[in-house]
Amino acid sequence: MKQSSSFLPGLAIALIVLLLGLIVAFTIGRYPVTLAELADVLLARLTGHPTSAPPAVENVVLLVRGPRVVAAVLVGAALAVAGTAFQGLFRNPLVSPDILGASSGAALGAVLGIFFSLGVIGIESLAFAGGLAAVAAVYVIGSLLQSRDPILVLVLTGVVIGALLGAGVGLVKYLADPYNQLPAMTFWLLGSLASTNVADLLPLAGPVLLGTIVLIALRWRLNVMSLPEDEARALGLATGRLRIAIVVAATLVTSASVATSGIIGWVGLVVPHLARALVGPDFPRLIPTAAILGGGYLLFIDTLARTAAPIEIPLGILTAVIGTPFFIWLLAGMQRDWS
């Protein structure tokens, strides 16, 4: 009963953040929309009745900002859930979705898709294949290296594979058409939701929802996986197969996000810590809270990206500006704990 009572306030705060993020994202911009107009347009769409708002307001809400808002919620939730799963799986609070090279592999696959002028489905498929290939390479190399600390070996191998894949991204950019493909790749790699439309939502929502559902279904086992390996096996858990399932699900949501929005760093590192501060480390409570909080967090970041300057600021830049001091603060806190 005590856990439930402590869970509800944290969940309520996450829901409030998401609701405020939705209101801010829909109403603030170069074409301002009032709360009354927003409510009128959304209510008319839900009930099927005609709206009294001007046609321009309806187009802005439903066609311009609507797809972008939905994409921001999905991408933020996906990165937060993936970061939460990886931090629990590797028992390390400094882990993020790109720790096993998943983001770098997905980026290389998506850049290849842009290079070959593929559609959204093709780009997302290559991104997922690249992310899985990167994770598989990390696991194979890590298993071949004998060490007293296999988690550390996996993390270091992920860093090395990520650097190699980053070189591959650089090579593709070097070979790309400098007038059409290269600018698109460069802007996309910095992270942006500016070109998101309704057609992009289904290829994003499907993998994100599937991977998130899998991770939510494994939430109780994630609690056990956060224990030392010997203890988890002593409790009867098939740690090998479960680790693969968690990595595949987290890679799926990461790859879908990268294919849609480019590389948006730090969300998968920052948001899980904020969610853990709200509801504690129990994964049945932590995963849904992180998903809700991640959606609201990226909504605020995206709104700031499109309104803070005359031209749109890439999301990756803003998340790095916020995430870097947070990471330094986290390291300082860990150092105090160790001393």
Side-chain angles (χ1 to χ4, degrees):
M1 196 69 183
K2 184 178 180 181
Q3 287 186 352
S4 299
S5 61
S6 63
F7 169 52
L8 292 178
L11 182 63
I13 292 174
L15 288 171
I16 290 172
V17 170
L18 177 61
L19 179 60
L20 291 177
L22 289 170
I23 293 174
V24 167
F26 271 116
T27 57
I28 296 179
R30 288 175 176 80
Y31 190 100
V33 177
T34 65
L35 277 175
E37 290 172 334
L38 174 62
D40 182 60
V41 170
L42 295 179
L43 186 62
R45 175 51 62 99
L46 290 174
T47 60
H49 295 98
T51 177
S52 59
V57 172
E58 186 177 10
N59 289 334
V60 166
V61 171
L62 298 179
L63 301 180
V64 178
R65 293 180 188 165
R68 183 165 182 165
V69 165
V70 174
V73 172
L74 290 172
V75 171
L79 295 175
V81 167
T84 302
F86 278 131
Q87 287 177 10
L89 184 64
F90 294 105
R91 304 186 294 278
N92 191 327
L94 304 181
V95 167
S96 60
D98 55 356
I99 191 63
L100 296 182
S103 293
S104 299
L108 178 58
V111 166
L112 286 171
I114 296 174
F115 181 78
F116 291 112
S117 302
L118 301 180
V120 176
I121 301 297
I123 292 175
E124 189 163 295
S125 299
L126 281 179
F128 178 55
L132 278 183
V135 173
V138 170
Y139 257 93
V140 169
I141 296 174
S143 63
L144 294 176
L145 298 176
Q146 301 297 327
S147 173
R148 295 180 180 178
D149 192 345
I151 301 299
L152 177 61
V153 170
L154 281 177
V155 171
L156 294 178
T157 306
V159 172
V160 174
I161 294 297
L164 178 61
L165 294 171
V169 171
L171 177 61
V172 175
K173 290 172 63 178
Y174 179 77
L175 298 175
D177 178 8
Y179 299 103
N180 296 314
Q181 294 176 330
L182 183 58
M185 291 178 185
T186 302
F187 186 71
W188 175 84
L189 285 169
L190 291 174
S192 175
L193 294 169
S195 60
T196 304
N197 54 48
V198 177
D200 297 328
L201 295 181
L202 183 59
L204 170 64
V208 167
L209 292 177
L210 177 60
T212 303
I213 289 172
V214 171
L215 292 175
I216 290 176
L218 298 175
R219 62 194 183 278
W220 297 104
R221 292 176 174 84
L222 268 167
N223 276 340
V224 181
M225 289 296 292
S226 62
L227 298 173
E229 185 82 7
D230 295 340
E231 295 184 23
R233 289 180 178 175
L235 292 173
L237 208 62
T239 56
R241 291 196 298 269
L242 184 57
R243 184 177 289 109
I244 291 174
I246 294 171
V247 167
V248 169
T251 303
L252 177 62
V253 298
T254 302
S255 301
S257 301
V258 170
T260 301
S261 63
I263 298 179
I264 303 177
W266 300 99
V267 176
L269 175 66
V270 172
V271 174
H273 286 278
L274 298 178
R276 199 174 289 111
L278 290 177
V279 299
D282 187 28
F283 282 96
R285 297 179 290 164
L286 182 59
I287 290 180
T289 304
I292 296 170
L293 198 61
Y297 176 80
L298 196 58
L299 279 174
F300 280 108
I301 296 294
D302 187 55
T303 303
L304 182 63
R306 60 183 175 82
T307 57
I311 60 173
E312 184 158 328
I313 303 173
L315 293 175
I317 294 177
L318 288 178
T319 54
V321 169
I322 296 173
T324 301
F326 181 86
F327 186 79
I328 295 173
W329 171 80
L330 185 62
L331 281 177
M334 292 180 64
Q335 186 175 15
R336 286 194 298 269
D337 293 338
W338 292 337
S339 60

PDB file of all heavy atoms in Angstrom, residues 18-43:
ATOM      1  N   LEU A  18       3.439  16.005 -19.072  1.00  0.00           N
ATOM      2  CA  LEU A  18       3.009  15.672 -20.427  1.00  0.00           C
ATOM      3  C   LEU A  18       1.872  16.582 -20.882  1.00  0.00           C
ATOM      4  O   LEU A  18       1.880  17.077 -22.020  1.00  0.00           O
ATOM      5  CB  LEU A  18       2.568  14.208 -20.482  1.00  0.00           C
ATOM      6  CG  LEU A  18       2.023  13.715 -21.831  1.00  0.00           C
ATOM      7  CD1 LEU A  18       3.088  13.847 -22.917  1.00  0.00           C
ATOM      8  CD2 LEU A  18       1.555  12.260 -21.714  1.00  0.00           C
ATOM      9  N   LEU A  19       0.901  16.814 -20.019  1.00  0.00           N
ATOM     10  CA  LEU A  19      -0.232  17.671 -20.378  1.00  0.00           C
ATOM     11  C   LEU A  19       0.226  19.099 -20.663  1.00  0.00           C
ATOM     12  O   LEU A  19      -0.191  19.711 -21.663  1.00  0.00           O
ATOM     13  CB  LEU A  19      -1.268  17.658 -19.257  1.00  0.00           C
ATOM     14  CG  LEU A  19      -2.515  18.532 -19.472  1.00  0.00           C
ATOM     15  CD1 LEU A  19      -3.269  18.089 -20.708  1.00  0.00           C
ATOM     16  CD2 LEU A  19      -3.409  18.488 -18.244  1.00  0.00           C
ATOM     17  N   LEU A  20       1.095  19.636 -19.800  1.00  0.00           N
ATOM     18  CA  LEU A  20       1.607  20.979 -20.037  1.00  0.00           C
ATOM     19  C   LEU A  20       2.428  21.036 -21.328  1.00  0.00           C
ATOM     20  O   LEU A  20       2.361  22.023 -22.076  1.00  0.00           O
ATOM     21  CB  LEU A  20       2.468  21.424 -18.851  1.00  0.00           C
ATOM     22  CG  LEU A  20       1.721  21.693 -17.538  1.00  0.00           C
ATOM     23  CD1 LEU A  20       2.706  22.048 -16.434  1.00  0.00           C
ATOM     24  CD2 LEU A  20       0.698  22.802 -17.720  1.00  0.00           C
ATOM     25  N   GLY A  21       3.200  19.967 -21.584  1.00  0.00           N
ATOM     26  CA  GLY A  21       3.967  19.918 -22.828  1.00  0.00           C
ATOM     27  C   GLY A  21       3.073  19.932 -24.053  1.00  0.00           C
ATOM     28  O   GLY A  21       3.371  20.594 -25.050  1.00  0.00           O
ATOM     29  N   LEU A  22       1.959  19.198 -23.988  1.00  0.00           N
ATOM     30  CA  LEU A  22       1.009  19.188 -25.100  1.00  0.00           C
ATOM     31  C   LEU A  22       0.405  20.570 -25.322  1.00  0.00           C
ATOM     32  O   LEU A  22       0.286  21.040 -26.460  1.00  0.00           O
ATOM     33  CB  LEU A  22      -0.092  18.167 -24.827  1.00  0.00           C
ATOM     34  CG  LEU A  22       0.303  16.690 -24.906  1.00  0.00           C
ATOM     35  CD1 LEU A  22      -0.819  15.804 -24.370  1.00  0.00           C
ATOM     36  CD2 LEU A  22       0.643  16.297 -26.336  1.00  0.00           C
ATOM     37  N   ILE A  23       0.002  21.225 -24.233  1.00  0.00           N
ATOM     38  CA  ILE A  23      -0.599  22.556 -24.356  1.00  0.00           C
ATOM     39  C   ILE A  23       0.401  23.550 -24.935  1.00  0.00           C
ATOM     40  O   ILE A  23       0.084  24.319 -25.864  1.00  0.00           O
ATOM     41  CB  ILE A  23      -1.109  23.030 -22.982  1.00  0.00           C
ATOM     42  CG1 ILE A  23      -2.276  22.156 -22.520  1.00  0.00           C
ATOM     43  CG2 ILE A  23      -1.538  24.496 -23.042  1.00  0.00           C
ATOM     44  CD1 ILE A  23      -2.747  22.448 -21.112  1.00  0.00           C
ATOM     45  N   VAL A  24       1.618  23.527 -24.423  1.00  0.00           N
ATOM     46  CA  VAL A  24       2.650  24.452 -24.904  1.00  0.00           C
ATOM     47  C   VAL A  24       2.969  24.184 -26.377  1.00  0.00           C
ATOM     48  O   VAL A  24       3.083  25.108 -27.184  1.00  0.00           O
ATOM     49  CB  VAL A  24       3.916  24.322 -24.030  1.00  0.00           C
ATOM     50  CG1 VAL A  24       5.104  25.015 -24.689  1.00  0.00           C
ATOM     51  CG2 VAL A  24       3.663  24.913 -22.653  1.00  0.00           C
ATOM     52  N   ALA A  25       3.101  22.911 -26.752  1.00  0.00           N
ATOM     53  CA  ALA A  25       3.472  22.566 -28.121  1.00  0.00           C
ATOM     54  C   ALA A  25       2.394  22.979 -29.118  1.00  0.00           C
ATOM     55  O   ALA A  25       2.698  23.398 -30.239  1.00  0.00           O
ATOM     56  CB  ALA A  25       3.738  21.065 -28.222  1.00  0.00           C
ATOM     57  N   PHE A  26       1.130  22.850 -28.736  1.00  0.00           N
ATOM     58  CA  PHE A  26       0.039  23.194 -29.652  1.00  0.00           C
ATOM     59  C   PHE A  26      -0.215  24.692 -29.740  1.00  0.00           C
ATOM     60  O   PHE A  26      -0.639  25.183 -30.784  1.00  0.00           O
ATOM     61  CB  PHE A  26      -1.249  22.491 -29.222  1.00  0.00           C
ATOM     62  CG  PHE A  26      -1.426  21.120 -29.813  1.00  0.00           C
ATOM     63  CD1 PHE A  26      -1.454  20.000 -28.998  1.00  0.00           C
ATOM     64  CD2 PHE A  26      -1.564  20.952 -31.181  1.00  0.00           C
ATOM     65  CE1 PHE A  26      -1.619  18.737 -29.534  1.00  0.00           C
ATOM     66  CE2 PHE A  26      -1.727  19.693 -31.727  1.00  0.00           C
ATOM     67  CZ  PHE A  26      -1.759  18.577 -30.903  1.00  0.00           C
ATOM     68  N   THR A  27       0.017  25.428 -28.664  1.00  0.00           N
ATOM     69  CA  THR A  27      -0.410  26.832 -28.633  1.00  0.00           C
ATOM     70  C   THR A  27       0.701  27.821 -28.963  1.00  0.00           C
ATOM     71  O   THR A  27       0.416  28.921 -29.458  1.00  0.00           O
ATOM     72  CB  THR A  27      -0.981  27.182 -27.243  1.00  0.00           C
ATOM     73  OG1 THR A  27       0.007  26.905 -26.230  1.00  0.00           O
ATOM     74  CG2 THR A  27      -2.231  26.370 -26.960  1.00  0.00           C
ATOM     75  N   ILE A  28       1.948  27.483 -28.686  1.00  0.00           N
ATOM     76  CA  ILE A  28       3.055  28.422 -28.881  1.00  0.00           C
ATOM     77  C   ILE A  28       3.725  28.180 -30.218  1.00  0.00           C
ATOM     78  O   ILE A  28       3.990  27.048 -30.599  1.00  0.00           O
ATOM     79  CB  ILE A  28       4.069  28.299 -27.732  1.00  0.00           C
ATOM     80  CG1 ILE A  28       3.426  28.713 -26.408  1.00  0.00           C
ATOM     81  CG2 ILE A  28       5.311  29.146 -28.006  1.00  0.00           C
ATOM     82  CD1 ILE A  28       4.350  28.607 -25.222  1.00  0.00           C
ATOM     83  N   GLY A  29       4.009  29.256 -30.920  1.00  0.00           N
ATOM     84  CA  GLY A  29       4.683  29.168 -32.206  1.00  0.00           C
ATOM     85  C   GLY A  29       4.540  30.462 -32.962  1.00  0.00           C
ATOM     86  O   GLY A  29       4.000  31.464 -32.454  1.00  0.00           O
ATOM     87  N   ARG A  30       5.022  30.475 -34.193  1.00  0.00           N
ATOM     88  CA  ARG A  30       4.919  31.680 -35.007  1.00  0.00           C
ATOM     89  C   ARG A  30       3.477  32.014 -35.354  1.00  0.00           C
ATOM     90  O   ARG A  30       3.161  33.152 -35.671  1.00  0.00           O
ATOM     91  CB  ARG A  30       5.757  31.512 -36.272  1.00  0.00           C
ATOM     92  CG  ARG A  30       7.248  31.555 -35.999  1.00  0.00           C
ATOM     93  CD  ARG A  30       8.083  31.277 -37.227  1.00  0.00           C
ATOM     94  NE  ARG A  30       9.510  31.436 -36.924  1.00  0.00           N
ATOM     95  CZ  ARG A  30      10.260  30.534 -36.327  1.00  0.00           C
ATOM     96  NH1 ARG A  30       9.718  29.394 -35.950  1.00  0.00           N
ATOM     97  NH2 ARG A  30      11.533  30.765 -36.089  1.00  0.00           N
ATOM     98  N   TYR A  31       2.602  31.022 -35.320  1.00  0.00           N
ATOM     99  CA  TYR A  31       1.169  31.255 -35.459  1.00  0.00           C
ATOM    100  C   TYR A  31       0.527  30.827 -34.141  1.00  0.00           C
ATOM    101  O   TYR A  31       0.246  29.655 -33.933  1.00  0.00           O
ATOM    102  CB  TYR A  31       0.594  30.447 -36.630  1.00  0.00           C
ATOM    103  CG  TYR A  31      -0.822  30.822 -36.994  1.00  0.00           C
ATOM    104  CD1 TYR A  31      -1.085  31.653 -38.071  1.00  0.00           C
ATOM    105  CD2 TYR A  31      -1.895  30.354 -36.247  1.00  0.00           C
ATOM    106  CE1 TYR A  31      -2.377  32.006 -38.407  1.00  0.00           C
ATOM    107  CE2 TYR A  31      -3.193  30.700 -36.564  1.00  0.00           C
ATOM    108  CZ  TYR A  31      -3.430  31.530 -37.646  1.00  0.00           C
ATOM    109  OH  TYR A  31      -4.718  31.881 -37.963  1.00  0.00           O
ATOM    110  N   PRO A  32       0.298  31.767 -33.208  1.00  0.00           N
ATOM    111  CA  PRO A  32      -0.223  31.382 -31.890  1.00  0.00           C
ATOM    112  C   PRO A  32      -1.657  30.871 -31.968  1.00  0.00           C
ATOM    113  O   PRO A  32      -2.461  31.334 -32.778  1.00  0.00           O
ATOM    114  CB  PRO A  32      -0.135  32.688 -31.090  1.00  0.00           C
ATOM    115  CG  PRO A  32      -0.129  33.772 -32.114  1.00  0.00           C
ATOM    116  CD  PRO A  32       0.539  33.207 -33.322  1.00  0.00           C
ATOM    117  N   VAL A  33      -1.948  29.901 -31.122  1.00  0.00           N
ATOM    118  CA  VAL A  33      -3.284  29.316 -31.021  1.00  0.00           C
ATOM    119  C   VAL A  33      -3.728  29.417 -29.561  1.00  0.00           C
ATOM    120  O   VAL A  33      -2.982  29.045 -28.662  1.00  0.00           O
ATOM    121  CB  VAL A  33      -3.280  27.838 -31.468  1.00  0.00           C
ATOM    122  CG1 VAL A  33      -4.655  27.212 -31.282  1.00  0.00           C
ATOM    123  CG2 VAL A  33      -2.845  27.721 -32.923  1.00  0.00           C
ATOM    124  N   THR A  34      -4.930  29.937 -29.347  1.00  0.00           N
ATOM    125  CA  THR A  34      -5.423  30.060 -27.973  1.00  0.00           C
ATOM    126  C   THR A  34      -5.916  28.702 -27.466  1.00  0.00           C
ATOM    127  O   THR A  34      -6.201  27.792 -28.250  1.00  0.00           O
ATOM    128  CB  THR A  34      -6.563  31.080 -27.893  1.00  0.00           C
ATOM    129  OG1 THR A  34      -7.686  30.585 -28.638  1.00  0.00           O
ATOM    130  CG2 THR A  34      -6.132  32.428 -28.464  1.00  0.00           C
ATOM    131  N   LEU A  35      -6.034  28.603 -26.153  1.00  0.00           N
ATOM    132  CA  LEU A  35      -6.536  27.366 -25.564  1.00  0.00           C
ATOM    133  C   LEU A  35      -7.969  27.087 -26.010  1.00  0.00           C
ATOM    134  O   LEU A  35      -8.341  25.928 -26.228  1.00  0.00           O
ATOM    135  CB  LEU A  35      -6.473  27.457 -24.037  1.00  0.00           C
ATOM    136  CG  LEU A  35      -5.130  27.133 -23.389  1.00  0.00           C
ATOM    137  CD1 LEU A  35      -5.196  27.386 -21.891  1.00  0.00           C
ATOM    138  CD2 LEU A  35      -4.726  25.699 -23.674  1.00  0.00           C
ATOM    139  N   ALA A  36      -8.765  28.137 -26.127  1.00  0.00           N
ATOM    140  CA  ALA A  36     -10.154  27.954 -26.564  1.00  0.00           C
ATOM    141  C   ALA A  36     -10.200  27.408 -27.992  1.00  0.00           C
ATOM    142  O   ALA A  36     -10.993  26.503 -28.303  1.00  0.00           O
ATOM    143  CB  ALA A  36     -10.909  29.273 -26.464  1.00  0.00           C
ATOM    144  N   GLU A  37      -9.357  27.950 -28.871  1.00  0.00           N
ATOM    145  CA  GLU A  37      -9.326  27.464 -30.254  1.00  0.00           C
ATOM    146  C   GLU A  37      -8.834  26.024 -30.315  1.00  0.00           C
ATOM    147  O   GLU A  37      -9.363  25.200 -31.073  1.00  0.00           O
ATOM    148  CB  GLU A  37      -8.428  28.377 -31.102  1.00  0.00           C
ATOM    149  CG  GLU A  37      -9.012  29.756 -31.348  1.00  0.00           C
ATOM    150  CD  GLU A  37      -8.021  30.687 -32.023  1.00  0.00           C
ATOM    151  OE1 GLU A  37      -6.796  30.469 -31.859  1.00  0.00           O
ATOM    152  OE2 GLU A  37      -8.454  31.621 -32.707  1.00  0.00           O
ATOM    153  N   LEU A  38      -7.804  25.710 -29.511  1.00  0.00           N
ATOM    154  CA  LEU A  38      -7.287  24.344 -29.485  1.00  0.00           C
ATOM    155  C   LEU A  38      -8.362  23.366 -29.017  1.00  0.00           C
ATOM    156  O   LEU A  38      -8.568  22.314 -29.639  1.00  0.00           O
ATOM    157  CB  LEU A  38      -6.071  24.281 -28.559  1.00  0.00           C
ATOM    158  CG  LEU A  38      -5.483  22.896 -28.299  1.00  0.00           C
ATOM    159  CD1 LEU A  38      -4.972  22.273 -29.588  1.00  0.00           C
ATOM    160  CD2 LEU A  38      -4.366  22.982 -27.256  1.00  0.00           C
ATOM    161  N   ALA A  39      -9.036  23.703 -27.921  1.00  0.00           N
ATOM    162  CA  ALA A  39     -10.092  22.827 -27.412  1.00  0.00           C
ATOM    163  C   ALA A  39     -11.218  22.670 -28.420  1.00  0.00           C
ATOM    164  O   ALA A  39     -11.761  21.573 -28.599  1.00  0.00           O
ATOM    165  CB  ALA A  39     -10.632  23.386 -26.090  1.00  0.00           C
ATOM    166  N   ASP A  40     -11.567  23.750 -29.105  1.00  0.00           N
ATOM    167  CA  ASP A  40     -12.650  23.694 -30.087  1.00  0.00           C
ATOM    168  C   ASP A  40     -12.291  22.784 -31.256  1.00  0.00           C
ATOM    169  O   ASP A  40     -13.102  21.962 -31.696  1.00  0.00           O
ATOM    170  CB  ASP A  40     -12.956  25.117 -30.587  1.00  0.00           C
ATOM    171  CG  ASP A  40     -14.115  25.140 -31.566  1.00  0.00           C
ATOM    172  OD1 ASP A  40     -15.230  24.735 -31.179  1.00  0.00           O
ATOM    173  OD2 ASP A  40     -13.903  25.539 -32.726  1.00  0.00           O
ATOM    174  N   VAL A  41     -11.059  22.899 -31.763  1.00  0.00           N
ATOM    175  CA  VAL A  41     -10.633  22.079 -32.900  1.00  0.00           C
ATOM    176  C   VAL A  41     -10.572  20.603 -32.511  1.00  0.00           C
ATOM    177  O   VAL A  41     -11.059  19.727 -33.239  1.00  0.00           O
ATOM    178  CB  VAL A  41      -9.263  22.563 -33.421  1.00  0.00           C
ATOM    179  CG1 VAL A  41      -8.698  21.570 -34.438  1.00  0.00           C
ATOM    180  CG2 VAL A  41      -9.391  23.937 -34.047  1.00  0.00           C
ATOM    181  N   LEU A  42      -9.972  20.317 -31.357  1.00  0.00           N
ATOM    182  CA  LEU A  42      -9.842  18.920 -30.937  1.00  0.00           C
ATOM    183  C   LEU A  42     -11.202  18.300 -30.618  1.00  0.00           C
ATOM    184  O   LEU A  42     -11.465  17.144 -30.969  1.00  0.00           O
ATOM    185  CB  LEU A  42      -8.924  18.820 -29.718  1.00  0.00           C
ATOM    186  CG  LEU A  42      -7.461  19.233 -29.955  1.00  0.00           C
ATOM    187  CD1 LEU A  42      -6.666  19.109 -28.661  1.00  0.00           C
ATOM    188  CD2 LEU A  42      -6.825  18.400 -31.051  1.00  0.00           C
ATOM    189  N   LEU A  43     -12.086  19.061 -29.962  1.00  0.00           N
ATOM    190  CA  LEU A  43     -13.418  18.548 -29.637  1.00  0.00           C
ATOM    191  C   LEU A  43     -14.227  18.305 -30.907  1.00  0.00           C
ATOM    192  O   LEU A  43     -14.945  17.304 -31.014  1.00  0.00           O
ATOM    193  CB  LEU A  43     -14.140  19.528 -28.712  1.00  0.00           C
ATOM    194  CG  LEU A  43     -15.491  19.067 -28.153  1.00  0.00           C
ATOM    195  CD1 LEU A  43     -15.290  17.809 -27.292  1.00  0.00           C
ATOM    196  CD2 LEU A  43     -16.131  20.177 -27.338  1.00  0.00           C
TER     197      LEU A  43
END
